[in-house]
Amino acid sequence: MRVAKVIVDVSTSQTNHTFDYLIPESWENIVQKGMRVSVPFGPRKVMGFVLEVSDHSEFDKLKPLDEVMDLTPVLTEELLQIGKWISEQTVSFYIQTFQAMLPQILKAKYKKEIEVLTDVEIAEELQQLFAGRAVMDFEEFVERNGNYSLLLKEVKNGHVQINYIVKSKETNKTKVFIAPNKEPYLLEEALEDTSNRAKKQKRILEYFLEQTTPIEQKQLITELSTTTATINQLVERNLLKKIEKKVYRDPFQDTDFERSKSLPLSGQQQTAIKPIWQAIEEKQDEVFLLHGVTGSGKTEVYLQAIERVLDKGMEAIVLVPEIALTPQMVQRFKSRFGSQVAVLHSALSAGEKFDEWTKIHKKEVNVVVGARSAIFAPFENIGIIIIDEEHETSYKQDEQPRYHAREVAKKRGNYHHCPVVLGSATPMLESYARAKKGVYHLLEMPDRMNEGEMPPVEIVDMRDELYAGNRTMFSRNLLEAIKTRIEKKEQIVLFLNRRGYSTFVMCRECGDVMKCPACDIALTYHKSSHQLKCHYCDYQIAMVKECQACNSKTIRYFGTGTQKVEEALREHIPEAKVIRMDVDTTRRKGSHKKLLEKFGNKEANILLGTQMIAKGLDFENVTLVGVLAVDAMLHLPDFRSSEKTFQLLTQVSGRAGRHKLPGEVIIQTYTPEHYSIQLASQYHYQQFFHQEMQTRRGFRYPPYYFLTLINVSHPNQLKAQEVTKTICKLLFKHLSDEATILGPTPSPIVRINNRYRYQCMVKYKDEPNQREIIRKIQEHYYDDIHRNDLTIQVDFEPYSLM
DNA sequence: AGCACGCCGACT
DNA sequence: GTCGGCGTGCTC
């Protein structure tokens, strides 16, 4: 007897363990751990992952597996182990983690259908729906308002049965090819038999007399200017045949990659790469922190480390933050390693992601470049893992399982005995502290390539501008600088951390601010659509003409978003051509790439954008970077706001003067004296590190302490508060005296989508029982969560405190 | 999750 | 007395 231990696709604590199923004899040699199966679960069928295959079970009445969904395992032994570990670390359900490790498309799709079993008359009403068919989709039954209780009666009678079907969403893209189906002489005969009126058919037959190799239908149609109808007639006459071929969707098919070779390494690059090479050779699972200023040539170090790995016949994973995964970065990897590279990031369609994943799974590639989830690439012989821009927040998943790619990377490095390289110009405080302690191996690259200097940074105090009577959003210096660059035909990058037009809309008469009815937040005005939008839920209304509270017409826009800046630029510098890049202009697939290409081709002078333009961009003609306002970010209720500001300013500054032309940076702010801004402007990472560490120590924040954030939400404010209070009490009771428990506190945004949000924060050094306690708390609230619309989110080492 | 089982109020 | 309401608990 062979038994499969299966985690089923039902996401609750009650089913968060394996269920045993009998493997039918005929499949005994087929079913392996890591495969997806379809199993009967109660009255229905669900998808599940085989975690183990064994020869006995504690249960006596086992049901057999229903179906095996994969030919080869989709999760390796290693990934199964890591999946269990992540689930435990993040207090998630196993199924959630395994799902997160695979491309979306491999998730199961569920379908119900109704089947008539007997020739016996079934109820008239049902017969009409079936209209003579034996099977019908349950969906159709619902759509056509079928009588459900009547159906159940017939099910009880045994006349009708409900089938549960588990399908994979997986689809392979196919292309249709046309090929001759007869010997040439037979085609020639057919040609003569064809009526002279059927000119197009004759033309096609003639083509295949000369050309016997299959041709893609699309191409045939354009070449002979014909239609599918004509081809189909020939196919029907059995003269031609259609062949369906599976093809990979190639997201980069229109892009040419010029092959590049290794560049000679500078002195500091050599010093940095040697220990990495050594770790590769000696199969050491060492973690390196590569601290290199922007433009110091980190990417070349990555590339040559990977070359060494590939020479040894091993594989490499490279993680890049979501937004920095610009075509530029992909370009560099593709041009160095060609078709050995698979790319996985959010701009790909689900189908494209699946195809890229398949290449990895089939070992057709040995390098993966991708965002967070690419850390789960199913390689089995990894020689190096690289995480670029290590401090980026996108490496932490913001839904369950809330894992951090860096921690998974270290775990995988352990397993494969290979180095992990964390690269950044502004490492996270936690990482740099670990490097200083010797937990990570610190590699420093303090100089820019080719003796380039970091561009000088000028800080403009916007309060002075106001005193001087300048009420625009551009300081005189910035405006002047923009104008000179445009004259010199150089390019400009302008950064603003806020999309939309204005941050809030207020009535001047009564001071009423337009707020979202479902969230505790002001609405943002979007000028292009002339709407007020909530950035936290999908609420949007047409812009109001008069104040809702006092009916006055004196409504004013406050705060500045990218749309407003774009408009102001047109007004102040009519000759400027501006490209705006934010979530609103890059929502469509491929638009991100298109906008950047346009800017690269110098079709615009100014690139204006939010966060997404801060990283990875490298345009040689950019000589001025302007930061319009950093103050909003600096004053967020987040202990990392100083660090985030420092990182952002450093990253943005790095966009200027990366090549021959000298660069310049102008930062506008209302708090020029702040140490984040001061030190960023002088590129003093070390000094910033020391100063910020002191603050963190004082407030008992990371890296001195670990944090756990528990977020509770409920439609009723009192309920949310009360539950949070109880959770705080329970934690206080069960955690050690060393832990600090803060709360219950209202979240920075108390209400989102009509749900009230409260939180509890734990600061601790070592609490081995913490996860177990939290699991128990969640189980204690099982009923409230399932039937009473309560949610309890737990985030270990959170990035966002909102 | 989704469904069956089972225990209390309004009906032919 | 029965139908059906929803609270409770199980699914290998």
Side-chain angles (χ1 to χ4, degrees):
Chain A
M1 178 179 82
R2 303 244 77 193
V3 174
K5 299 195 176 281
V6 176
I7 291 284
V8 294
D9 181 18
V10 178
S11 205
T12 39
S13 56
Q14 286 176 332
T15 51
N16 193 32
H17 57 86
T18 55
F19 287 79
D20 292 359
Y21 288 91
L22 193 69
I23 301 175
E25 254 173 58
S26 53
W27 290 344
E28 277 188 0
N29 296 320
I30 295 170
V31 177
Q32 292 170 47
K33 56 168 90 170
M35 283 181 176
R36 293 171 307 150
V37 288
S38 162
V39 293
F41 195 66
R44 62 213 163 107
K45 274 173 192 141
V46 297
M47 189 270 272
F49 290 95
V50 179
L51 284 210
E52 236 167 293
V53 178
S54 139
D55 45 17
H56 61 271
S57 171
E58 313 265 290
F59 284 84
D60 35 1
K61 27 183 205 279
L62 294 187
K63 289 185 184 175
L65 292 177
D66 186 60
E67 201 185 327
V68 185
M69 297 173 72
D70 300 304
L71 293 170
T72 54
V74 290
L75 292 172
T76 61
E77 165 71 37
E78 180 212 358
L79 289 174
L80 288 174
Q81 275 182 34
I82 286 185
K84 284 189 221 167
W85 174 77
I86 291 174
S87 307
E88 279 148 25
Q89 285 300 305
T90 62
V91 193
S92 308
F93 304 126
Y94 295 115
I95 189 71
Q96 292 176 317
T97 309
F98 293 135
Q99 300 272 35
M101 296 175 128
L102 294 173
Q104 250 274 312
I105 226 165
L106 291 180
K107 270 198 187 168
K109 196 171 102 187
Y110 296 95
K111 209 178 104 173
K112 273 199 267 191
E113 58 179 35
I114 312 162
E115 188 181 357
V116 183
L117 293 175
T118 55
D119 298 332
V120 185
E121 296 267 298
I122 55 167
E124 174 66 26
E125 207 185 322
L126 290 179
Q127 269 190 42
Q128 278 186 5
L129 279 175
F130 276 94
R133 291 173 296 174
V135 181
M136 96 187 260
D137 276 3
F138 189 79
E139 230 170 88
E140 187 191 338
F141 181 82
V142 174
E143 261 169 40
R144 294 173 61 186
N145 256 322
N147 184 335
Y148 189 65
S149 53
L150 195 61
L151 179 73
L152 286 182
K153 240 178 226 163
E154 293 290 12
V155 171
K156 268 194 186 143
N157 292 340
H159 298 157
V160 169
Q161 161 182 303
I162 297 180
N163 298 328
Y164 297 84
I165 296 163
V166 183
K167 279 170 103 181
S168 178
K169 286 186 202 157
E170 170 186 347
T171 50
N172 286 301
K173 192 168 182 177
T174 55
K175 275 190 182 164
V176 180
F177 284 76
I178 308 293
N181 199 25
K182 291 267 166 67
E183 299 294 310
Y185 74 93
L186 287 170
L187 289 187
E188 216 160 331
E189 271 176 27
L191 183 64
E192 279 164 27
D193 290 347
T194 305
S195 148
N196 279 331
R197 286 171 56 211
K199 281 195 187 120
K200 282 286 157 79
Q201 285 194 38
K202 286 199 160 191
R203 179 79 191 79
I204 297 170
L205 285 174
E206 278 161 11
Y207 172 90
F208 280 108
L209 281 175
E210 289 180 10
Q211 183 75 41
T212 51
T213 50
I215 175 173
E216 200 188 332
Q217 177 168 278
K218 238 194 242 159
Q219 201 188 335
L220 186 69
I221 288 171
T222 44
E223 242 173 71
L224 304 182
S225 66
T226 178
T227 59
T228 38
T230 318
I231 298 171
N232 285 344
Q233 283 185 5
L234 290 166
V235 172
E236 237 158 73
R237 288 170 66 192
N238 271 326
L239 298 170
L240 303 181
K241 62 182 171 190
K242 289 195 174 190
I243 308 168
E244 292 206 342
K245 278 195 185 172
K246 278 185 193 173
V247 289
Y248 285 135
R249 284 151 276 223
D250 183 357
F252 301 98
Q253 60 179 349
D254 304 328
T255 326
D256 282 330
F257 295 106
E258 219 174 282
R259 287 310 288 259
S260 75
K261 285 203 185 111
S262 313
L263 308 171
L265 294 178
S266 70
Q268 66 173 5
Q269 282 174 322
Q270 281 182 34
T271 324
I273 205 169
K274 271 186 190 142
I276 302 176
W277 276 341
Q278 195 184 344
I280 294 168
E281 294 296 335
E282 293 173 6
K283 291 191 155 255
Q284 296 279 333
D285 58 348
E286 203 168 351
V287 181
F288 294 94
L289 179 63
L290 178 57
H291 176 215
V293 297
T294 51
S296 61
K298 290 191 289 290
T299 310
E300 191 58 35
V301 173
Y302 302 153
L303 289 167
Q304 297 201 21
I306 294 172
E307 263 165 32
R308 187 62 64 92
V309 165
L310 298 186
D311 285 347
K312 294 177 67 87
M314 295 197 290
E315 296 137 350
I317 298 178
V318 184
L319 297 191
V320 284
E322 202 72 62
I323 27 187
L325 199 68
T326 57
Q328 289 184 350
M329 194 71 172
V330 173
Q331 172 97 32
R332 286 196 71 177
F333 279 85
K334 279 257 177 187
S335 57
R336 188 68 58 87
F337 302 116
S339 57
Q340 296 177 84
V341 186
V343 177
L344 282 170
H345 66 94
S346 61
L348 302 182
S349 72
E352 286 167 341
K353 274 186 211 163
F354 170 66
D355 285 353
E356 293 292 299
W357 180 87
T358 306
K359 288 185 201 165
I360 306 165
H361 188 224
K362 290 188 173 166
K363 308 275 149 52
E364 291 173 2
V365 292
N366 37 29
V367 179
V368 179
V369 181
R372 182 180 57 236
S373 64
I375 195 59
F376 298 121
F379 281 145
E380 288 177 276
N381 191 16
I382 300 175
I384 195 168
I385 301 174
I386 292 164
I387 303 187
D388 189 32
E389 309 286 0
E390 162 287 330
H391 61 278
E392 268 299 312
T393 51
S394 66
Y395 290 126
K396 175 85 186 264
Q397 173 143 307
D398 56 10
E399 56 189 53
Q400 291 281 51
R402 295 170 200 276
Y403 68 90
H404 198 298
R406 188 203 301 122
E407 303 312 307
V408 180
K410 287 195 249 172
K411 199 83 181 163
R412 293 201 81 175
N414 259 184
Y415 184 95
H416 292 275
H417 307 289
C418 75
V420 173
V421 179
L422 312 174
S424 176
T426 50
M428 226 190 142
L429 245 64
E430 281 88 329
S431 300
Y432 203 72
R434 271 176 209 167
K436 288 230 144 185
K437 266 174 77 180
V439 181
Y440 298 163
H441 185 146
L442 183 62
L443 305 168
E444 297 269 8
M445 297 210 295
D447 304 318
R448 272 194 152 182
M449 301 268 290
N450 317 321
E451 279 115 53
E453 289 289 317
M454 292 301 288
V457 179
E458 181 192 347
I459 302 173
V460 177
D461 188 341
M462 289 305 273
R463 293 171 301 190
D464 293 345
E465 294 293 311
L466 209 58
Y467 294 141
N470 177 9
R471 314 196 78 204
T472 70
M473 59 193 85
F474 308 110
S475 60
R476 290 156 296 176
N477 285 6
L478 181 59
L479 203 60
E480 201 46 49
I482 293 176
K483 282 182 180 160
T484 1
R485 304 295 148 151
I486 293 180
E487 266 166 38
K488 286 206 260 175
K489 301 231 162 18
E490 293 170 5
Q491 287 174 300
I492 301 136
V493 169
L494 287 183
F495 175 84
L496 181 69
N497 208 4
R498 183 160 262 126
R499 68 193 176 96
Y501 185 83
S502 71
T503 38
F504 63 99
V505 176
M506 187 172 84
C507 168
R508 282 210 155 172
E509 203 82 348
C510 68
D512 187 59
V513 174
M514 288 292 297
K515 283 193 161 178
C516 173
C519 309
D520 186 40
I521 200 94
L523 292 171
T524 305
Y525 176 52
H526 284 238
K527 194 164 195 190
S528 47
S529 56
H530 211 67
Q531 276 177 322
L532 288 168
K533 290 186 186 178
C534 172
H535 286 182
Y536 287 86
C537 68
D538 42 19
Y539 180 81
Q540 51 186 61
I541 48 162
M543 179 60 198
V544 292
K545 295 217 168 62
E546 46 191 50
C547 172
Q548 314 262 295
C550 71
N551 296 333
S552 109
K553 295 203 170 157
T554 55
I555 290 175
R556 289 289 178 275
Y557 309 110
F558 291 86
T560 307
T562 42
Q563 287 184 12
K564 195 173 182 176
V565 176
E566 189 182 16
E567 189 183 276
L569 278 170
R570 285 225 186 82
E571 192 185 309
H572 291 291
I573 317 169
E575 68 271 26
K577 286 193 203 101
V578 184
I579 292 178
R580 177 163 63 89
M581 250 179 97
D582 52 34
V583 191
D584 301 302
T585 62
T586 54
R587 205 162 279 150
R588 269 189 38 240
K589 187 170 179 287
S591 49
H592 188 248
K593 193 176 155 193
K594 251 181 227 145
L595 290 177
L596 288 178
E597 264 166 21
K598 252 175 120 179
F599 189 64
N601 295 337
K602 300 183 188 163
E603 286 171 47
N605 321 93
I606 302 178
L607 179 66
L608 163 70
T610 52
Q611 292 279 9
M612 64 176 69
I613 62 163
K615 284 126 201 158
L617 302 186
D618 188 352
F619 295 105
E620 56 178 356
N621 204 35
V622 171
T623 53
L624 174 66
V625 166
V627 180
L628 291 170
V630 278
D631 303 82
M633 179 173 219
L634 203 50
H635 301 120
L636 283 176
D638 182 341
F639 71 92
R640 269 190 259 265
S641 62
S642 298
E643 184 183 359
K644 283 180 180 164
T645 306
F646 181 89
Q647 285 166 346
L648 191 83
L649 290 178
T650 310
Q651 300 288 344
V652 185
S653 304
R655 301 309 115 217
R658 291 175 72 92
H659 297 266
K660 281 170 206 133
L661 298 169
E664 184 192 356
V665 180
I666 296 178
I667 298 175
Q668 302 188 156
T669 173
Y670 288 92
T671 42
E673 64 284 353
H674 194 284
Y675 66 96
S676 290
I677 297 173
Q678 284 295 332
L679 294 173
S681 74
Q682 295 151 39
Y683 303 100
H684 277 166
Y685 178 82
Q686 297 274 352
Q687 226 167 304
F688 174 78
F689 172 77
H690 289 300
Q691 182 145 2
E692 184 66 10
M693 284 295 271
Q694 272 178 15
T695 318
R696 300 287 180 88
R697 194 211 299 262
F699 288 100
R700 307 182 116 214
Y701 274 123
Y704 292 99
Y705 287 81
F706 292 110
L707 288 190
T708 304
L709 185 71
I710 301 175
N711 252 301
V712 178
S713 86
H714 193 268
N716 181 323
Q717 182 160 20
L718 226 88
K719 175 78 182 172
Q721 191 177 11
E722 193 189 292
V723 171
T724 318
K725 199 172 167 185
T726 314
I727 291 175
C728 290
K729 276 188 191 160
L730 286 167
L731 288 170
F732 187 77
K733 193 172 153 196
H734 295 286
L735 291 177
S736 80
D737 297 346
E738 304 293 308
T740 316
I741 294 126
L742 301 169
T745 339
S747 296
I749 302 169
V750 189
R751 189 176 50 125
I752 292 182
N753 249 322
N754 277 323
R755 304 181 63 86
Y756 288 88
R757 307 157 73 246
Y758 279 78
Q759 51 185 226
C760 164
M761 190 188 274
V762 186
K763 296 179 183 175
Y764 65 100
K765 289 246 183 196
D766 182 32
E767 293 295 332
N769 300 324
Q770 184 188 204
R771 287 174 167 79
E772 199 188 317
I773 295 163
I774 288 172
R775 259 215 208 270
K776 283 202 179 124
I777 290 174
Q778 280 180 334
E779 261 153 48
H780 174 243
Y781 282 107
Y782 184 87
D783 271 18
D784 268 339
I785 290 167
H786 283 258
R787 291 188 244 286
N788 199 2
D789 207 9
L790 177 76
T791 63
I792 301 175
Q793 285 180 353
V794 184
D795 196 350
F796 298 98
E797 285 155 78
Y799 262 180
S800 165
L801 305 183
M802 303 291 260

